[in-house]
Amino acid sequence: MTTVLSDEASVAEAILSDRALLDCNQAYVTLFEASSKDDLCGKHPSQLSPEYQVSGEVSRELANRYLTECFELGHREFDWVHTMLTGSLFICRVELRLLENKTLHARLLKPRIYLGDNNHKAEVSALSSEQDIAFRESFNLLHQHKRAIDVSAIVSKTDAHGNITYVNDMFCEVSGYSHNELLGENHNIVNHPGMPKEVFADLWRTIRSGNVWQGVILNRRKDGSNYYVSSTISPIRDSSGEITEYIAIRHDITDLYEKDRIIQIQTTDTETGLPNRVQFNDDLRRRPGAWVAVLSFAEIEGVQQIYGDIEYRSFIQNLTSMLGEYARNVARVYRTSESSFALVCECDCEQQAFVESCGKIVDQILGQPILLAENKIYLSAKVGVAENNLPEKTYGHACLAMNSAYHDQESIGVYHQGTKEYQRLNNAIYWAGKLKSAVSRGRIQIYGQGIFAADGERYSTEVLMRYQSGHECVSPIVFLEYAKSAGIYSSLTHEVIRQSFNYFKKSGQRFSINLDREDLFNKTTRGILLEHVRDSGCGDQLTLELLESSGVDFSDTVVKNFLAELKSLNCQIAIDDFGSGYSNFDYLATMDVDLIKIDGSLIRDILQNQKHHLIVKSIVALCKSLEIPVVAEFSSEKAIVDLLIEFGVDYFQGYYFEKPLPLTE
């Protein structure tokens, strides 16, 4: 070795290769409380260090980086925490210089170790026992904090220029890049090109001024896929107050954005960007008494059939823009079907004022042709207006008024209670009379439709109610509304519960019963159901299907306590009609759900409706990630079942497997 180390020197010196200690002087041996240099030679510097440095970085990774920088630059100084062979820790200043060894044809490094900073270099001395204990406790606490953050967050550090100096394992896992691919690179490596430049300008302006920046950033993985992070970025200052580094702590919130995306798909018309029929129905439930108009333009269908997709979309977007402009400050605009739009009045006004406003909107649209492929398309419109007294019927009432106006050659029709309302009331009286005696005469019968696995094995049976009189078998969709208005509904539910437990207690099979909002808030119904569960011992056979479409607030104390008691009796809870609205995503976070039944309206035309295809696929994927089994209703044909199996649906219910059949005790 041509480089001589003096054993007389008081400063600890050594010779390093890029991998290990090759030689050292006596001061170095003494510093580390070694018996001889043989105890130290051959060791990597990180082997004479704790696992982590004060910066939170792994000692081995940080040491390798400093060695590499010294080989490149010729000189490097830094603070370091070393460990003596006896286990004691000490803080020191390391001066690393490059040596050219011509004899060995090797490039070596010469470290010198000092106590203190650049201006006050002194010989090293170990910490006192009290200092050592205090330092170890602080160091241990720092490591615990670091581990907690590393497990729960995406962490990175950069130098003052934004070049990455540290990333934790979660950063690599989420981004898809390795440590080596990230270190030394700018954070632009994961930035998404779609992020506004103004966001990053604000970010740098904030942290360079010494403040903390917080916000959401869209990033791009190595494979090109996107992910969202909620970011907190803070400057790190040295002892003189200068900013030398930046640390960023992020949390992956991609799942939240995916949820919002699914909700938006479900409630937004993709061609126009307007809220769709689902959103329209939901808004009506919040706006009782509001005036509603339905507008139908016959030309839409013709344009779609004659022109290409580009021209059709241009036509629709022009029409949408006109509706939005002319209806501004009057009503919110919805796309409710291929050829129809709806307006919901946003202010309190009388019928006549709203009808006049609709007339002005239509006149402006009809007076302005849409230019399409050098042709002027003049529009004609049918308009129907109704008051939102029954949200589930308002759209139908407005359509009825629209058709009446068309037949009467009026520009706008307004729904009024008349012959249709008389027929409804007549039906209510008719069914009230029949249903009041139906239970005592044995005319309420339970039917069952099986829920099956893909291989055809029966998993459970959903209990269905029918009105049976001779050869007459009527679904509750016909009479349930009248039963509720006549106050008979609860007695029908009680009869279904009684028959169901009598039948399935004997068969030992799993079964499910539907509960509506009225059932959950009816004290007598709750008591009867709990009594049957306890007396029969069939709790582990029973699934309660809660109708999402009934608008139940599952956070209500009464409902929560009732469901908790059922769960304590080993009953399962299923959300039925899942996907019929968008509030149902909250149920997955707030309820202990055992089963999800996707609404049949999404399954029925899934082979033709691409939006339903995407929504169902997303719902199944979400439930899979939450380990909640999924049932697909209206599984009516093999092609639908095969597609749903590809999605990962667990169970199926529909005519492809079994029609509803009577269950006799």
Side-chain angles (χ1 to χ4, degrees):
M1 183 75 62
T2 58
T3 301
V4 179
L5 298 173
S6 173
D7 285 334
E8 303 298 326
S10 60
V11 177
E13 296 180 335
I15 303 297
L16 277 173
S17 69
D18 60 343
R19 295 183 179 180
L21 192 75
L22 301 178
D23 194 11
C24 64
N25 66 1
Q26 185 57 43
Y28 206 93
V29 173
T30 303
L31 174 62
F32 284 92
E33 297 187 353
S35 300
S36 68
K37 64 175 65 177
D38 293 338
D39 295 336
L40 302 174
C41 291
K43 294 185 182 294
H44 188 275
S46 63
Q47 293 177 277
L48 300 172
S49 310
E51 182 182 0
Y52 296 98
Q53 289 297 305
V54 174
S55 64
E57 297 178 71
V58 178
S59 290
R60 187 171 189 87
E61 294 177 1
L62 187 57
N64 286 337
R65 191 168 86 237
Y66 286 158
L67 293 175
T68 300
E69 291 175 357
C70 187
F71 276 120
E72 293 174 352
L73 303 175
H75 179 262
R76 190 71 165 84
E77 288 193 32
F78 49 88
D79 293 320
W80 195 261
V81 179
H82 266 304
T83 308
M84 298 177 183
L85 295 189
T86 57
S88 297
L89 300 172
F90 63 89
I91 306 172
C92 59
R93 184 75 180 174
V94 178
E95 179 185 305
L96 204 58
R97 291 188 179 277
L98 178 65
L99 299 174
E100 295 288 350
N101 192 305
K102 298 180 180 179
T103 303
L104 297 178
H105 303 288
R107 304 179 76 208
L108 305 176
L109 301 177
K110 182 178 181 181
R112 307 185 78 192
I113 297 179
Y114 301 92
L115 178 67
D117 56 25
N118 284 327
N119 300 320
H120 301 89
K121 294 177 180 177
E123 293 185 10
V124 176
S125 60
L127 299 174
S128 68
S129 59
E130 293 81 4
Q131 290 174 320
D132 185 66
I133 292 172
F135 185 74
R136 282 178 175 277
E137 289 178 349
S138 299
F139 215 68
N140 182 52
L141 184 61
L142 173 65
H143 291 168
Q144 291 183 56
H145 288 173
K146 181 184 183 303
R147 288 191 182 99
I149 293 173
D150 278 342
V151 168
S152 60
I154 303 166
V155 183
S156 68
K157 290 173 63 178
T158 71
D159 59 22
H161 305 291
N163 298 315
I164 299 172
T165 58
Y166 170 77
V167 292
N168 68 347
D169 290 341
M170 187 173 288
F171 192 113
C172 297
E173 180 183 336
V174 173
S175 70
Y177 290 96
S178 67
H179 287 80
N180 291 337
E181 290 174 312
L182 292 167
L183 294 178
E185 294 292 332
N186 192 280
H187 258 293
N188 292 338
I189 191 173
V190 294
N191 287 351
H192 192 284
M195 277 296 293
K197 294 181 179 179
E198 294 79 11
V199 174
F200 294 109
D202 175 67
L203 185 159
W204 279 106
R205 185 168 53 250
T206 301
I207 60 178
R208 280 173 175 161
S209 65
N211 296 314
V212 176
W213 186 89
Q214 291 182 309
V216 174
I217 296 176
L218 172 62
N219 283 337
R220 175 172 286 179
R221 296 183 179 90
K222 183 178 180 180
D223 64 8
S225 60
N226 303 332
Y227 65 101
Y228 291 88
V229 288
S230 175
S231 304
T232 299
I233 304 174
S234 177
I236 298 175
R237 300 177 185 272
D238 61 15
S239 58
S240 64
E242 292 295 320
I243 296 175
T244 58
E245 293 181 289
Y246 299 101
I247 185 168
I249 298 176
R250 309 171 184 83
H251 296 278
D252 188 350
I253 56 172
T254 307
D255 287 347
L256 296 178
Y257 273 78
E258 285 298 308
K259 169 187 168 182
D260 290 342
R261 186 178 68 86
I262 294 171
I263 290 173
Q264 186 169 10
I265 290 172
Q266 192 175 4
T267 59
T268 304
D269 178 68
T270 55
E271 290 182 339
T272 63
L274 293 173
N276 64 10
R277 179 72 177 273
V278 173
Q279 185 67 61
F280 171 79
N281 291 337
D282 190 69
D283 287 349
L284 288 187
R285 287 192 285 269
R286 298 190 182 96
R287 296 292 310 281
W291 286 100
V292 175
V294 174
L295 297 76
S296 179
F297 299 92
E299 290 74 19
I300 292 178
E301 184 177 355
V303 169
Q304 189 176 30
Q305 292 174 351
I306 296 173
Y307 291 90
D309 185 64
I310 295 177
E311 290 85 359
Y312 168 71
R313 288 182 178 275
S314 173
F315 174 80
I316 287 294
Q317 288 165 4
N318 274 285
L319 177 56
T320 300
S321 296
M322 287 194 292
L323 276 169
E325 180 182 350
Y326 300 144
R328 186 182 300 138
N329 301 325
V330 176
R332 188 180 186 188
V333 184
Y334 302 79
R335 178 96 181 272
T336 51
S337 72
E338 289 289 336
S339 59
S340 298
F341 295 81
L343 306 177
V344 176
C345 185
E346 293 190 316
C347 57
D348 294 329
C349 65
E350 298 297 325
Q351 171 193 308
Q352 187 59 35
F354 182 66
V355 171
E356 290 177 0
S357 295
C358 290
K360 292 178 181 178
I361 292 170
V362 171
D363 287 344
Q364 287 175 298
I365 292 175
L366 301 190
Q368 184 176 340
I370 297 175
L371 186 63
L372 198 62
E374 300 182 354
N375 294 321
K376 291 182 178 180
I377 308 297
Y378 287 90
L379 298 172
S380 61
K382 296 187 295 183
V383 184
V385 174
E387 188 175 10
N388 182 34
N389 293 320
L390 294 170
E392 68 276 10
K393 293 181 175 294
T394 299
Y395 186 79
H397 289 167
C399 290
L400 177 64
M402 179 178 66
N403 292 330
S404 297
Y406 175 75
H407 291 299
D408 296 339
Q409 296 185 340
E410 299 285 346
S411 58
I412 299 177
V414 180
Y415 176 82
H416 295 286
Q417 292 183 348
T419 56
K420 292 289 183 180
E421 181 65 10
Y422 172 82
Q423 185 62 46
R424 193 195 73 80
L425 292 174
N426 190 51
N427 286 340
I429 295 170
Y430 169 79
W431 276 107
K434 296 187 74 168
L435 294 173
K436 282 181 178 178
S437 61
V439 174
S440 61
R441 294 186 179 185
R443 291 178 179 171
I444 297 300
Q445 298 291 327
I446 60 170
Y447 276 56
Q449 187 177 32
I451 299 172
F452 296 88
D455 61 4
E457 182 178 355
R458 181 183 295 270
Y459 166 73
S460 183
T461 300
E462 180 181 359
V463 176
L464 306 170
M465 175 171 54
R466 295 290 185 268
Y467 175 87
Q468 188 91 42
S469 178
H471 296 294
E472 183 184 23
C473 180
V474 184
S475 168
I477 194 172
V478 175
F479 59 81
L480 212 56
E481 177 188 349
Y482 307 126
K484 291 179 179 180
S485 62
I488 307 168
Y489 174 77
S490 60
S491 63
L492 302 182
T493 300
H494 301 163
E495 180 61 12
V496 170
I497 292 172
R498 184 191 68 80
Q499 291 186 35
S500 299
F501 276 91
N502 286 345
Y503 181 87
F504 286 97
K505 182 179 180 180
K506 296 174 184 177
S507 71
Q509 297 176 335
R510 293 197 60 81
F511 67 103
S512 60
I513 296 176
N514 287 288
L515 293 183
D516 205 339
R517 185 180 189 282
E518 285 80 354
D519 300 318
L520 293 171
F521 287 97
N522 187 303
K523 184 177 181 180
T524 302
T525 300
R526 296 198 305 270
I528 288 174
L529 181 58
L530 289 170
E531 181 181 357
H532 274 83
V533 173
R534 293 191 187 100
D535 291 347
S536 66
C538 294
D540 57 353
Q541 296 173 231
L542 176 62
T543 298
L544 279 305
E545 296 190 13
L546 310 180
L547 299 176
E548 186 277 338
S549 57
S550 65
V552 179
D553 180 7
F554 292 115
S555 65
D556 184 274
T557 303
V558 172
V559 177
K560 286 175 64 177
N561 292 341
F562 175 56
L563 297 181
E565 191 165 1
L566 287 168
K567 292 285 285 186
S568 71
L569 296 171
N570 298 319
C571 299
Q572 290 194 339
I573 303 298
I575 299 296
D576 197 7
D577 295 342
F578 191 88
S580 59
Y582 65 81
S583 61
N584 45 48
F585 284 94
D586 292 335
Y587 306 159
L588 303 183
T590 59
M591 294 177 62
D592 185 11
V593 178
D594 300 293
L595 202 66
I596 291 296
K597 298 187 73 175
I598 299 178
D599 186 56
S601 64
L602 297 174
I603 304 296
R604 187 184 293 112
D605 63 344
I606 192 170
L607 298 178
Q608 297 81 33
N609 191 316
Q610 186 60 32
K611 288 188 287 187
H612 287 182
H613 181 284
L614 176 59
I615 291 170
V616 171
K617 186 176 182 180
S618 300
I619 290 174
V620 174
L622 178 62
C623 291
K624 284 293 181 185
S625 67
L626 297 174
E627 298 183 347
I628 302 176
V630 178
V631 178
E633 300 179 312
F634 282 84
S635 298
S636 58
E637 59 181 280
K638 185 177 185 302
I640 290 178
V641 173
D642 289 342
L643 177 63
L644 296 173
I645 290 174
E646 287 183 21
F647 288 176
V649 171
D650 301 280
Y651 302 108
F652 307 86
Q653 182 179 358
Y655 275 36
Y656 178 75
F657 291 89
E658 185 180 88
K659 295 181 180 180
L661 300 171
L663 303 176
T664 56
E665 297 180 21

